[in-house]
Amino acid sequence: MPTRGSFPLGLGYLAAVLLRAGFEVELLDFNIRTFSRAAMTRLLIAKAKECDGVGFSGMVTMLGTIQWMAQVVKQVAPHVPVVVGGSVASPMPEFLLQRTAADIACIGEGEETVCELANALEKNEPIGSVLGLCIKEGKTIYRTGTRPLIKNLDALPFPAWDHFEIHQYAKNNYFVNTPYRSMNLIAGRGCPYRCTFCYRNFGNRVRVRSVENILLEIETLIERYGVHHFDFQDELFTLNDAHVRQFCSKVIEKRLNITWRCLGRVNLAEGELYKLMKAAGCHWLGFGIESGSPKMLKVMDKRINLDEARQAIALGRQAGIHVTGTFIMGLPGENSETISETVRFCKENKLYNKPFYPVPYPGTLLFESLVRSGTLHDGNMESLIGKMERDATELIINLTDMSDTDLIRLKEDAESEIRGAVAGTRGFKALILLAKETAAIWGISGLVRLFFKMTARKWGKLLKK
């Protein structure tokens, strides 16, 4: 259960390693389509009785859903072990097992763990020797030990795309508006930075796949499913300059007719690298700038400054790449002055993106600091985590000294001011730029397809009102 609309890479990798190990795998994907609770219940009941084990994977925002689904499984198949993985399990596995009917939580990367667990269950052997687990046996909950990170990511098979509604995912174009089919993938795992609000799925140690392995996945997706746009979901794609240069050079050498999007970091900005990326098909580059206030950047431990941010935005645009940025309003210390600084920065740099409220996800430094201060405790933690199912554009906890009313008003006013100053003046230019890029990459046919896709989306939104 990942971000709705994007392909669930974690589940895809788990299915792939289990299939390669010779296990039978059946997937219920509740991500790509909307199911009623009654329909989901019927599916779970039908499948749970046939399985030797049931696994759920999701973000912490899905805690409430996983509580309900695990209970459904246990009611009809109490003997079947229920395993939960993903960010809903890894940061607080004991908390998860105490508050759900699940038997086992998988901590961290699951590919090796799930295969060893499945093998032990199949042979009816003790699972306590399988590293990377937290196990509930009666009223006892214990961890089995830390599993080392996977060193060679190339050893993993590609996600089991054929076990999902892959063509529906390919049509989604979830992250950016492109005229052709798209897919998300990951070239490396880990991020060496420690921003206070960020949950690091794969820890601080960075590991990357070989360029050859990444290109083979891209070429496979092109050949099998007609995908020509790729969204790299690496936490920090541009960290390894040499690796990115090698990837871009190979894409150009192979004359792959693709576009792609990735995330970078402003203190690592390099104009010549961005030009090479653009030549290799990179048309979208996102930066986590997060604030236009030096004070708030320190609060976040961003380890960047605003001059670096301005320079990175300029270099990306000079290379012909569409630059985006994310912003957070409402961390401890935020006030009307710091929000005004962010508004000025965005207007000055013609950068608009709907700002987020901070969410103290379990496993983040922000969450840990709130636990230490007593703001979060056993009495309110489950309630707060339940509210995380809402989008981060909704306020679920006020970490400032302002009232909820004042914080919401300041954020909404800031958003409106930035949108009016930036989106209004750049909207037509952005549309013209998109049309030019589309025609250059896909020709007139691609431009026509983009027009009809955007028109269909507009009418779809109107019909829903």
Side-chain angles (χ1 to χ4, degrees):
M1 285 173 264
T3 304
R4 181 168 293 279
S6 65
F7 181 80
L9 286 172
L11 202 56
Y13 275 115
L14 293 179
V17 294
L18 285 169
L19 289 165
R20 185 174 66 178
F23 294 99
E24 293 183 22
V25 175
E26 183 159 1
L27 288 163
L28 295 179
D29 183 5
F30 297 131
N31 175 59
I32 192 64
R33 297 187 184 277
T34 301
F35 290 84
S36 67
R37 177 162 286 207
M40 293 171 72
T41 300
R42 287 193 297 271
L43 284 168
L44 284 170
I45 290 174
K47 299 299 180 183
K49 296 177 181 179
E50 304 170 357
C51 296
D52 297 319
V54 174
F56 298 112
S57 177
M59 297 174 64
V60 69
T61 54
M62 301 304 298
L63 176 63
T65 302
I66 287 175
Q67 284 175 320
W68 158 65
M69 291 196 298
Q71 188 62 40
V72 169
V73 172
K74 282 299 185 180
Q75 285 175 347
V76 298
H79 62 287
V80 173
V82 173
V83 186
V84 180
S87 66
V88 70
S90 292
M92 301 171 62
E94 291 87 359
F95 177 90
L96 172 83
L97 295 181
Q98 289 166 355
R99 287 163 174 80
T100 71
D103 303 293
I104 304 167
C106 181
I107 305 170
E109 291 178 320
E111 289 91 350
E112 293 178 347
T113 303
V114 74
C115 284
E116 291 183 19
L117 175 61
N119 189 57
L121 291 173
E122 182 182 51
K123 296 178 179 179
N124 199 29
E125 296 177 346
I127 61 174
S129 61
V130 178
L131 296 177
L133 298 178
C134 188
I135 301 170
K136 179 169 62 180
E137 293 179 349
K139 295 183 179 180
T140 302
I141 295 176
Y142 64 95
R143 298 194 186 202
T144 61
T146 303
R147 177 171 293 278
L149 293 172
I150 298 171
K151 294 181 179 180
N152 180 16
L153 298 181
D154 284 7
L156 296 175
F158 297 150
W161 301 300
D162 288 339
H163 281 65
F164 297 81
E165 294 187 57
I166 187 65
H167 293 288
Q168 189 64 36
Y169 280 110
K171 289 192 297 184
N172 264 356
N173 301 141
Y174 179 79
F175 293 99
V176 295
N177 218 341
T178 62
Y180 278 64
R181 299 159 72 85
S182 67
M183 186 54 57
N184 48 303
L185 73 165
I186 191 165
R189 297 180 177 183
C191 176
Y193 296 93
R194 293 180 60 81
C195 303
T196 60
F197 56 85
C198 186
Y199 176 69
R200 292 169 297 279
N201 290 309
F202 302 110
N204 293 108
R205 180 183 159 200
V206 179
R207 296 148 294 145
V208 295
R209 296 163 56 189
S210 69
V211 168
E212 292 74 20
N213 188 253
I214 299 167
L215 289 172
L216 180 58
E217 180 174 358
I218 288 174
E219 290 171 322
T220 302
L221 286 165
I222 292 173
E223 181 180 346
R224 287 189 192 175
Y225 312 113
V227 173
H228 284 277
H229 173 77
F230 298 88
D231 290 295
F232 285 100
Q233 289 187 280
D234 302 50
E235 294 169 274
L236 186 48
F237 182 82
T238 61
L239 179 66
N240 189 324
D241 183 280
H243 189 259
V244 177
R245 288 180 182 277
Q246 184 185 3
F247 168 76
C248 292
S249 297
K250 287 293 184 180
V251 170
I252 295 170
E253 178 185 319
K254 287 175 171 285
R255 298 184 179 181
L256 296 180
N257 189 24
I258 65 172
T259 61
W260 47 282
R261 166 192 172 274
C262 70
L263 300 179
R265 191 174 165 87
V266 299
N267 60 310
L268 303 177
E270 186 180 337
E272 292 304 312
L273 176 63
Y274 292 167
K275 291 176 183 177
L276 181 62
M277 288 165 56
K278 177 60 186 294
C282 178
H283 286 257
W284 295 269
L285 175 60
F287 293 122
I289 301 170
E290 313 309 352
S291 180
S293 165
K295 169 190 168 183
M296 295 310 300
L297 292 177
K298 290 181 180 178
V299 169
M300 300 174 189
D301 197 19
K302 279 297 298 181
R303 304 185 189 186
I304 63 171
N305 61 59
L306 295 178
D307 286 337
E308 290 172 333
R310 295 184 184 95
Q311 178 76 349
I313 294 167
L315 290 174
R317 288 174 176 165
Q318 288 167 14
I321 298 175
H322 180 68
V323 175
T324 61
T326 55
F327 295 88
I328 298 173
M329 293 181 180
L331 281 161
E334 191 85 83
N335 55 40
S336 60
E337 182 181 343
T338 59
I339 289 176
S340 294
E341 288 178 306
T342 296
V343 170
R344 286 195 296 271
F345 177 86
C346 291
K347 291 168 66 175
E348 169 195 332
N349 292 279
K350 297 182 173 60
L351 201 62
Y352 172 74
N353 194 54
K354 189 179 181 71
F356 298 101
Y357 289 111
V359 178
Y361 295 111
T364 64
L365 295 174
L366 176 61
F367 180 89
E368 293 171 4
S369 70
L370 294 177
V371 171
R372 287 195 302 271
S373 69
T375 304
L376 287 180
H377 47 78
D378 287 342
N380 65 6
M381 196 171 294
E382 186 171 353
S383 173
L384 177 68
I385 292 176
K387 293 177 183 177
M388 291 179 186
E389 288 196 15
R390 306 174 191 174
D391 192 279
T393 53
E394 292 186 38
L395 181 66
I396 66 168
I397 183 171
N398 188 348
L399 304 176
T400 74
D401 293 329
M402 298 181 281
S403 68
D404 289 4
T405 300
D406 285 345
L407 174 57
I408 292 170
R409 175 182 55 80
L410 283 169
K411 177 184 172 293
E412 290 179 349
D413 288 349
E415 182 182 326
S416 178
E417 184 176 349
I418 298 168
R419 182 174 62 246
V422 178
T425 58
R426 289 176 56 85
F428 182 72
K429 291 181 180 179
L431 182 61
I432 294 298
L433 176 61
L434 179 61
K436 285 182 177 179
E437 290 183 346
T438 300
I441 300 165
W442 305 109
I444 297 300
S445 63
L447 188 58
V448 171
R449 291 182 67 169
L450 177 64
F451 171 77
F452 279 110
K453 178 175 288 188
M454 293 178 70
T455 303
R457 286 185 178 179
K458 180 178 179 181
W459 278 106
K461 290 179 180 178
L462 289 173
L463 290 171
K464 289 179 181 179
K465 292 183 178 180

